[in-house]
Amino acid sequence: MADPFQDVDSAGPEFIKLFADSMDERQSDPKMEEIVASYLAALSLSEHSTVIEVGAGAGAVTRRIAAHSSASKVIGFEPSKGFVAEAKDRGKGYPNLEFLVADGASLPLDSGSIDAVVMHTVLTHVENPKELIVEAFRVLKPGGTLIVCDADFSKATFSAFPNDPLDICAKEFVREFVTDPFIVAKMRSLISDVGFSVARFGVESRVVNNPEQMLPWVDVTCQQMYERGDIGKELADALVAEHHRRAQNGSLYGYQAFATAIARKPG
């Protein structure tokens, strides 16, 4: 199965709503708020600045950018019409924010017109991430900032003990919903090869123990494995029930690593 985030609209409205809610829930996590606040603090912006997010999804991070940069113009570009509709609805109340349908490899912007480009959990879902980096280089002003934040999905796990059956859901999610789980290992060279100077790179751990954040990984993957005939209904239901049991007794555990690179265009 191809990563559905490559063509969100084909996945249908239920998928769009589910993951729009999931992205909002993930971003409300204190660790994710800390990660985003840290990279936004690296931006030097004014009332004349323009910041864009490429692959904005339903706008969970774009709204944070707009709030942080309230004097600047903020645009979220997203190829999915469904996500853009969700983003516009959820982004009401931010006068400096707009969302537009556009592919990150072909932005409707003049060269050298943008002060900062943010790509948050995008490159893991595209087949040719270099195209997005090249386009970011084109639209940025000399001295402009590129921020790339993504998950190292190769390290994602739900294991609380050896051979934890719930970890099947984490592995299945990465297999079915991620294009390149190893993008973080390539991140610095992808950025620098295009001509950027990487000023900062770091990786932070994120523990997931909130059932609202983990349930979509478990629920959706179990349903898919059942529909394919990989597992029976009893096992699918049992894995979801195990998620609920751990959520109730406080033993729910998931782990992700998030990397952030901050780079500058020479000039």
Side-chain angles (χ1 to χ4, degrees):
M1 174 181 171
D3 178 353
F5 288 103
Q6 291 183 13
D7 188 1
V8 171
D9 291 334
S10 293
E14 289 186 6
F15 178 93
I16 290 169
K17 179 66 165 61
L18 173 66
F19 280 96
D21 290 344
S22 179
M23 289 170 187
D24 277 355
E25 188 66 36
R26 180 182 70 183
Q27 189 49 46
S28 69
D29 177 74
K31 185 61 182 180
M32 291 309 303
E33 295 283 21
E34 177 187 321
I35 289 170
V36 172
S38 177
Y39 69 60
L40 290 181
L43 295 177
S44 297
L45 303 170
S46 72
E47 60 182 327
H48 304 295
S49 299
T50 301
V51 183
I52 68 170
E53 184 184 7
V54 174
V61 171
T62 333
R63 295 195 298 274
R64 268 66 175 184
I65 300 170
H68 173 83
S69 315
S70 57
S72 305
K73 182 179 181 180
V74 179
I75 308 171
F77 289 105
E78 165 60 44
S80 162
K81 293 178 181 178
F83 266 159
V84 167
E86 282 283 344
K88 287 180 177 180
D89 186 58
R90 296 169 191 236
K92 293 174 181 175
Y94 295 85
N96 62 328
L97 174 62
E98 67 175 311
F99 292 94
L100 298 172
V101 176
D103 191 308
S106 181
L107 297 169
L109 297 168
D110 293 335
S111 298
S113 61
I114 301 300
D115 296 278
V117 176
V118 177
M119 298 181 186
H120 188 97
T121 59
V122 174
L123 297 186
T124 46
H125 297 295
V126 297
E127 292 184 340
N128 191 345
K130 185 177 180 179
E131 290 182 349
L132 274 68
I133 303 296
V134 168
E135 183 68 348
F137 192 90
R138 181 187 72 80
V139 302
L140 277 169
K141 297 175 181 177
T145 302
L146 171 67
I147 296 173
V148 179
C149 181
D150 225 314
D152 184 352
F153 282 104
S154 71
K155 309 296 189 297
T157 183
F158 291 165
S159 288
F161 52 85
N163 300 317
D164 187 337
L166 203 58
D167 194 43
I168 294 170
C169 298
K171 299 298 185 284
E172 178 69 7
F173 186 91
V174 171
R175 188 173 75 91
E176 293 292 310
F177 290 87
V178 177
T179 299
D180 187 353
F182 295 94
I183 197 69
V184 165
K186 309 166 188 174
M187 188 182 289
R188 284 171 293 175
S189 59
L190 267 172
I191 294 169
S192 59
D193 286 353
V194 169
F196 286 101
S197 175
V198 178
R200 190 176 99 192
F201 176 81
V203 179
E204 297 191 57
S205 295
R206 177 187 178 232
V207 173
V208 184
N209 51 22
N210 183 325
E212 285 75 19
Q213 295 175 44
M214 192 182 290
L215 181 58
W217 285 46
V218 177
D219 202 13
V220 172
T221 56
C222 285
Q223 183 64 26
Q224 285 191 342
M225 288 188 287
Y226 166 65
E227 289 176 354
R228 288 199 309 260
D230 296 342
I231 62 176
K233 186 73 163 56
E234 295 80 4
L235 179 54
D237 291 344
L239 288 169
V240 174
E242 177 60 14
H243 166 275
H244 295 334
R245 186 191 71 82
R246 295 186 194 186
Q248 290 174 356
N249 70 17
S251 64
L252 192 65
Y253 174 85
Y255 174 84
Q256 292 178 315
F258 272 82
T260 302
I262 299 176
R264 308 272 190 256
K265 179 177 177 177

